[in-house]
Amino acid sequence: MAGKANMHELGAGTSGINPHHGATRNPYNVGRVSGGSSGGSAAAVCAGLCPVALGADGGGSVRMPAALCGVVGFKPTAGRLSNSGLLPLNWTVGMPGILAATVEDTLIAYAAIADQSKPSPLQQPELNLPMLTRTRSMPSIRLAKYAKWFDDSSEDIRSLCGKALQMLRTHYGWESVDVTVPEIEEMRLAHYVTMGSECTASLAAKYLDSMDRSEVGWDVRIALSAYGSFSSRDYLSAQRLRCRQMYFHEKIFETADAIVTPMTGVTAYALQDDALSTGELDYINGAALVRYSIAGNFLGLPAITVPVGYDRGGLPVGLQFIGRPWSEATLLHLAYAMQEACGKKVLRKPKVHYDLLTKE
């Protein structure tokens, strides 16, 4: 163990600003956010402090900071990795994930922690680990792209991710197929209700009933208040939408091997000095950061993000592949293919000012 990483308080935000332990800063630009909630893990890998770090992903909290910090972020299918040792904040949408410098490192870590010796509450198929050197010999891959959703991102992200798909077509002959993902906004709201309701239920007896709200950041106070407003009827309605969305995605996977999206709608935005001691709620940037994360958590689908370049400000951009349940081996192949097609230029390390990464 190299150490413990900073994170957004209670995992209840996307910026990585923690008023108790300092804001985790992006190694590419220490005036920018690292993302959250597992921003400390992403920054540590990005800065070269360690090759691999772990995080928890309940709403993109591994994949989103990985994209902002220019590393690989991998969330397997729900149930593939043990939740033992995780605070059970949102047990049906949150799960452990891996942040690593390369796809190869990601695979090594995944092989080490995917323990098949213990019984799982889910009926999961046998673990298969891909031979990444055989990626070029894979049969033709079909990538599902919902153009309206894919393009709901900044100009730089849209351009880089579009060029990345073209590179896959040029290098491997893999095709993109046009699809529609219905009711994306309804899925986002249902996920938020599910995540918030489970967080309240998990923390209620032991923490929330005796918590002094003045001890937590302003953004977390608002989040906890919103979470506590959801009723049991709201939660059950969200689960009906979950079943509906699973049906929609199953139909997509009948004709495609994976869904492809940008990982975030914006790159790392600027830290505001007046938010460092209180936390912040930035709903515009926050919504853009989690725009493409929800299906992986709400539906338990495996997903991986890999760097594909940099915006005009030199900040990393990630591309995401979302797979059908238990298709981790395929996703690792896809991410490795993307990494090889982009070349080592996307793996360049930033000039890091280590003393500023946790500057107050």
Side-chain angles (χ1 to χ4, degrees):
M1 298 296 291
K4 293 183 179 180
N6 198 4
M7 62 175 288
H8 201 104
E9 185 177 14
L10 272 183
T14 59
S15 67
I17 297 174
N18 188 315
H20 309 289
H21 303 291
T24 303
R25 294 169 180 267
N26 193 311
Y28 277 91
N29 183 331
V30 294
R32 302 276 175 157
V33 300
S34 64
S37 60
S38 301
S41 296
V45 173
C46 173
L49 301 178
C50 54
V52 173
L54 299 180
D57 195 316
S61 289
V62 163
R63 292 163 288 147
M64 180 260 286
L68 297 190
C69 291
V71 300
V72 178
F74 181 43
K75 186 206 77 64
T77 308
R80 178 63 89 184
L81 301 181
S82 170
N83 282 348
S84 177
L86 266 67
L87 185 66
L89 280 177
N90 28 65
W91 55 90
T92 72
V93 298
M95 55 209 76
I98 298 165
L99 302 99
T102 66
V103 177
E104 296 93 325
D105 289 345
T106 304
L107 172 57
I108 292 169
Y110 174 57
I113 65 177
D115 186 357
Q116 294 280 288
S117 65
K118 298 177 182 177
S120 168
L122 299 175
Q123 288 289 339
Q124 55 176 288
E126 182 181 355
L127 178 68
N128 289 309
L129 300 175
M131 292 183 64
L132 297 181
T133 55
R134 300 294 299 276
T135 295
R136 281 194 172 274
S137 64
M138 288 180 67
S140 181
I141 293 291
R142 293 167 63 86
L143 300 173
K145 175 186 172 185
Y146 179 21
K148 182 180 179 181
W149 189 36
F150 190 99
D151 292 341
D152 191 12
S153 54
S154 72
E155 181 182 346
D156 285 356
I157 292 176
R158 193 162 56 245
S159 174
L160 285 165
C161 290
K163 290 177 181 176
L165 288 184
Q166 186 59 45
M167 281 191 283
L168 288 179
R169 182 179 181 88
T170 300
H171 282 72
Y172 301 96
W174 297 347
E175 296 182 0
S176 296
V177 294
D178 293 328
V179 300
T180 298
V181 183
E183 301 174 10
I184 289 176
E185 177 61 12
E186 289 83 349
M187 177 169 62
R188 184 189 69 81
L189 293 172
H191 168 265
Y192 188 73
V193 169
T194 301
M195 179 178 64
S197 299
E198 292 178 358
C199 180
T200 299
S202 176
L203 296 177
K206 192 171 182 180
Y207 299 104
L208 293 184
D209 295 344
S210 58
M211 177 185 288
D212 180 354
R213 294 295 176 100
S214 67
E215 295 179 352
V216 300
W218 294 357
D219 55 334
V220 177
R221 290 184 219 176
I222 294 173
L224 291 175
S225 295
Y227 295 169
S229 71
F230 300 138
S231 68
S232 56
R233 179 176 293 180
D234 294 332
Y235 184 81
L236 292 175
S237 295
Q239 306 324 299
R240 293 177 64 187
L241 282 169
R242 179 182 257 174
C243 293
R244 183 174 170 86
Q245 276 294 329
M246 184 58 80
Y247 170 78
F248 292 150
H249 281 71
E250 285 174 349
K251 300 303 287 186
I252 291 173
F253 289 129
E254 287 179 2
T255 59
D257 300 285
I259 299 170
V260 62
T261 73
M263 187 59 248
T264 61
V266 295
T267 51
Y269 61 89
L271 286 163
Q272 304 298 323
D273 289 340
D274 59 357
L276 300 183
S277 61
T278 61
E280 72 168 7
L281 277 177
D282 184 337
Y283 277 120
I284 295 176
N285 280 313
L289 289 178
V290 302
R291 181 165 295 142
Y292 305 102
S293 302
I294 303 305
N297 299 104
F298 193 47
L299 307 181
L301 301 175
I304 191 167
T305 179
V306 62
V308 292
Y310 305 88
D311 70 5
R312 281 170 282 190
L315 297 170
V317 170
L319 184 75
Q320 176 181 226
F321 299 102
I322 305 168
R324 57 171 62 89
W326 317 114
S327 65
E328 288 85 0
T330 298
L331 292 187
L332 287 163
H333 272 300
L334 296 179
Y336 180 74
M338 191 73 265
Q339 177 181 282
E340 292 299 294
C342 287
K344 299 302 181 183
K345 64 180 180 179
V346 300
L347 298 177
R348 64 177 173 85
K349 291 300 178 185
K351 181 179 179 181
V352 179
H353 301 278
Y354 294 100
D355 58 323
L356 294 178
L357 286 181
T358 57
K359 176 184 175 184
E360 293 293 342

